[in-house]
Amino acid sequence: MMRNSVFVRILRGIAALALAGALCFAAALGALYWAETHVPATDGTSRAIIVLGAQVKADGEPSVQLSLRLEAALAEYEKHPRTIVVCGAQGSDEPRPEGDVMRDWLLERGVPADDVLAEMDSRNTRQNLENAAALLAPETSVTVVTSDYHLPRALAMARDTGLDADGVVSPCRPEYWMKNHCRELLSWGKYLLEKAMGQ
């Protein structure tokens, strides 16, 4: 009887921990969704647009996610033409640097070559923004274009970099919503830990 009682208490403790974890995860997911849906709309007064990189397919074409970011950036550019910085190095499974592919995509759609700067050395969001900031210096007024789930953290990092940033979202495909948001929660955890450690 005693063993059964201990076993029941252990099971209840595990269930309570699982429930607490699920509630914390749901709260964090809700906070992320709220943040991405309450990013203030850009007023078009920034001096440059920064487009953050994403996967390039094996055939050299932008992935769906990257295409959506580029479409959002092009729409913003057409409202208020200004310098566009496209960011991203070449991954091990990519035939060309992301920045190079992004630049060609914009040029093919009529953006003048003088308005497009390609940054092809960065491998993560922080490097995207730091390298773009270096290309634009001393200008700091920018509009960051990236996927909806990614924008709040990208804007936080942009401000860490010294940029005066607002943002434009590109949509996330519904079938990837949970995967992308779960990954973004982990990235937020890494970002906040690095901030707490002064990195």
Side-chain angles (χ1 to χ4, degrees), residues 12-23:
R12 287 176 177 170
I14 292 171
L17 288 173
L19 179 59
L23 290 173

Side-chain angles (χ1 to χ4, degrees), residues 49 72-84 110-112 115:
I49 298 168
L74 180 60
E76 179 62 22
Y77 174 85
E78 288 174 340
K79 293 176 189 174
H80 306 283
R82 54 221 196 257
T83 300
I84 305 177
V111 178
D115 281 353

Side-chain angles (χ1 to χ4, degrees), residues 8 17 20 25 69 164-165 170 175 186:
V8 168
L17 288 173
F25 172 78
R69 293 183 186 185
D164 177 16
S170 67
E175 61 266 36
L186 294 175

Side-chain angles (χ1 to χ4, degrees), residues 51-71:
V51 193
L52 303 186
Q55 184 71 34
V56 170
K57 297 188 294 186
D59 62 2
E61 292 297 312
S63 61
V64 171
Q65 180 170 272
L66 185 53
S67 293
L68 290 170
R69 293 183 186 185
L70 288 166
E71 288 167 7

Side-chain angles (χ1 to χ4, degrees), residues 63-143:
S63 61
V64 171
Q65 180 170 272
L66 185 53
S67 293
L68 290 170
R69 293 183 186 185
L70 288 166
E71 288 167 7
L74 180 60
E76 179 62 22
Y77 174 85
E78 288 174 340
K79 293 176 189 174
H80 306 283
R82 54 221 196 257
T83 300
I84 305 177
V85 182
V86 289
C87 303
Q90 180 176 354
S92 60
D93 57 349
E94 294 176 317
R96 295 169 59 200
E98 294 167 10
D100 194 32
V101 172
M102 296 161 77
R103 175 178 56 194
D104 284 354
W105 189 98
L106 291 167
L107 297 181
E108 288 167 4
R109 285 154 182 81
V111 178
D114 288 348
D115 281 353
V116 184
L117 300 176
E119 182 286 306
M120 294 182 280
D121 295 321
S122 58
R123 298 189 176 277
N124 56 48
T125 301
R126 186 178 299 282
Q127 290 177 6
N128 283 174
L129 294 163
E130 289 175 347
N131 292 355
L135 286 175
L136 292 169
E139 185 56 67
T140 60
S141 173
V142 302
T143 294

Side-chain angles (χ1 to χ4, degrees), residues 7 17 42 46 65 102 120 134 138 150 157 178 185 191:
F7 183 68
L17 288 173
T42 180
S46 72
Q65 180 170 272
M102 296 161 77
M120 294 182 280
H150 187 219
M157 287 185 167
M178 185 58 73
L185 284 179
Y191 167 71

